[in-house]
Amino acid sequence: MTNPEKVFVVIPAFNEERVIRDVLLKLLPFHYNIVVVDDGSMTKLDSLLKNMPVYLLCHPVNLGQGGALQTGIDFALRNKAEYIVTFDADGQHEAAEIEKLLIPLQEDKADIVSGSRFLGTESKNVPAGRKFLLRSARYFNFLFTGLLLSDAHNGLRAMTAKAARKIRLRQNGMAHATEILSEIRKNKLRYAEVPVTIHYTAYSQKKGQSAWSGFRIFFDILLNKIFR
Amino acid sequence: MTGIQVLLISGVVFILIYYISRFRNALFDLLVLAAFAGVGIFFILFPEYTNVIAKKLHVGRGADLLFYSCILFFIFIIVKLFARLRRLEDKMTELVRRDAINEAKNMDNSNNPG
């Protein structure tokens, strides 16, 4: 059991003012350091988060989830984090499962751990269209990065500070999920997957990724390959 | 001179003048542009020569050759532009990130009135 103060939970948030407080309230009992990165939301989170023991960083313009994540990670590293966890702001993730992701890191069996909704536990709630998209996306990721994970796009991850220092997310948009895989490969980091539960609520469904964003991601990655 | 020749030459001259008035400083660029303008005006006045070149390259007409060359040229320009945009985006990200981290607030001890 690690000192929770050494764990920094980075939460990128874009227009999540409806649920962010509830999400944070569920996280607070675990006493991790919480870093909310407001990625240029229309409603500022200052008043909503007043007097909560969290850090609030603000992007004046929207960069994208990847950009917000990297900002949060940089901040955590600056504040001497030992473990960094990424967590979604929309309530899809479960605070209690963070512990599960930290175990392989603490046992030094992996440098970065990803949650997966397809590893046996409940994948019954996954909407059919989304399931298909994600299942195909993992092969797409494999094509581009050589790594085949069971869940192509899971925002719940944990990494050691050492791993975080090696990873550089230059993709500001959603393509960061693929980029992080190629960074893992490039730096020869050990990765593991752990089954997690994803809560699909009406709210998070509405905000979820459309099929169109899949195309956008594809082009981002393709162009990234060419220009880097 | 035919109508289209007047039109095209005016276009070239206009671009040249606009460029001179806006970007005086880059002499080298100006020379390159003037060279292109000169070549352009030459082929506008004597389009038959494009056919000569085209025949050597086994392309049907001079206009076709010009068309193909333009496509390549535009693709090149677009690629360069995209790379430039990417670099700009990276720079902007750096600025936004640096500010965000420096202005980070600990909401617990925040003395902000709101």
Side-chain angles (χ1 to χ4, degrees):
Chain A
M1 183 53 223
T2 194
N3 181 359
E5 274 187 12
K6 297 275 178 13
V7 179
F8 278 68
V9 181
V10 173
I11 307 179
F14 181 58
N15 293 335
E16 304 276 12
E17 56 277 353
R18 278 224 287 161
V19 289
I20 183 97
R21 242 190 105 82
D22 290 333
V23 170
L24 291 176
L25 286 172
K26 293 206 182 105
L27 265 172
L28 289 177
F30 296 91
H31 298 294
Y32 302 125
N33 274 304
I34 299 175
V35 181
V36 178
V37 183
D38 177 3
D39 193 16
S41 308
M42 290 204 297
T43 316
K44 293 271 157 254
L45 294 178
D46 286 76
S47 43
L48 254 170
L49 302 188
K50 202 159 161 187
N51 294 327
M52 293 187 100
V54 302
Y55 292 101
L56 176 61
L57 278 70
C58 211
H59 285 162
V61 292
N62 174 253
L63 292 186
Q65 201 180 54
L69 280 174
Q70 187 62 63
T71 300
I73 291 174
D74 281 358
F75 178 79
L77 286 174
R78 262 213 214 178
N79 285 278
K80 308 215 190 333
E82 277 185 19
Y83 300 104
I84 297 179
V85 176
T86 63
F87 197 85
D88 279 359
D90 59 6
Q92 283 199 334
H93 293 151
E94 216 169 291
E97 293 187 324
I98 293 181
E99 185 59 49
K100 273 204 275 186
L101 274 87
L102 291 174
I103 293 175
L105 299 177
Q106 288 157 356
E107 295 177 349
D108 199 23
K109 297 218 168 80
D111 303 306
I112 179 163
V113 181
S114 224
S116 169
R117 75 199 89 189
F118 296 124
L119 276 184
T121 53
E122 299 86 62
S123 64
K124 50 182 153 84
N125 268 356
V126 187
R130 189 106 183 95
K131 195 168 183 175
F132 173 72
L133 202 66
L134 284 172
R135 282 240 172 256
S136 355
R138 55 193 280 255
Y139 292 111
F140 166 75
N141 278 343
F142 175 63
L143 205 69
F144 272 94
T145 66
L147 295 178
L148 187 63
L149 268 58
S150 62
D151 193 333
H153 197 133
N154 198 309
L156 186 53
R157 294 186 214 273
M159 60 191 97
T160 59
K162 192 158 151 223
R165 268 187 274 272
K166 295 192 180 155
I167 291 176
R168 200 80 226 142
L169 288 179
R170 285 144 119 191
Q171 288 284 2
N172 281 347
M174 282 293 167
H176 67 82
T178 306
E179 199 192 8
I180 206 171
L181 293 183
S182 63
E183 288 288 290
I184 290 174
R185 184 138 190 250
K186 190 169 79 171
N187 292 293
K188 299 195 182 26
L189 298 172
R190 302 165 298 168
Y191 67 94
E193 280 190 294
V194 159
V196 295
T197 331
I198 303 285
H199 298 285
Y200 287 95
T201 62
Y203 172 80
S204 63
Q205 299 262 60
K206 216 160 29 96
K207 292 200 89 213
Q209 299 309 306
S210 65
W212 172 247
S213 61
F215 280 112
R216 174 93 197 272
I217 295 176
F218 173 72
F219 279 112
D220 276 350
I221 294 172
L222 200 64
L223 292 165
N224 197 44
K225 280 271 173 197
I226 298 175
F227 286 100
R228 294 288 160 87
Chain B
M1 270 210 288
T2 64
I4 183 68
Q5 285 177 322
V6 174
L7 213 65
L8 290 174
I9 293 183
S10 326
V12 171
V13 170
F14 175 74
I15 293 176
L16 202 59
I17 293 179
Y18 179 77
Y19 189 86
I20 294 176
S21 64
R22 282 292 223 102
F23 308 106
R24 308 168 159 281
N25 307 325
L27 182 64
F28 179 73
D29 284 0
L30 182 60
L31 289 177
V32 170
L33 187 66
F36 268 108
V39 169
I41 293 180
F42 174 77
F43 280 119
I44 292 170
L45 289 173
F46 308 110
E48 317 84 59
Y49 283 97
T50 62
N51 287 329
V52 171
I53 301 176
K55 271 227 295 251
K56 286 228 166 75
L57 293 171
H58 297 288
V59 176
R61 309 177 312 174
D64 290 344
L65 176 66
L66 181 66
F67 185 65
Y68 300 147
S69 315
C70 273
I71 290 179
L72 282 179
F73 182 63
F74 291 150
I75 291 178
F76 173 70
I77 295 287
I78 288 175
V79 164
K80 286 212 87 184
L81 268 173
F82 183 77
R84 180 105 193 267
L85 265 173
R86 275 298 252 155
R87 281 198 300 274
L88 255 172
E89 197 183 87
D90 285 351
K91 287 183 188 168
M92 182 194 71
T93 300
E94 211 183 313
L95 288 173
V96 169
R97 178 164 296 150
R98 194 192 57 183
D99 257 10
I101 293 180
N102 287 339
E103 311 274 312
K105 293 193 273 252
N106 186 340
M107 299 306 283
D108 208 9
N109 305 323
S110 179
N111 292 324
N112 297 344

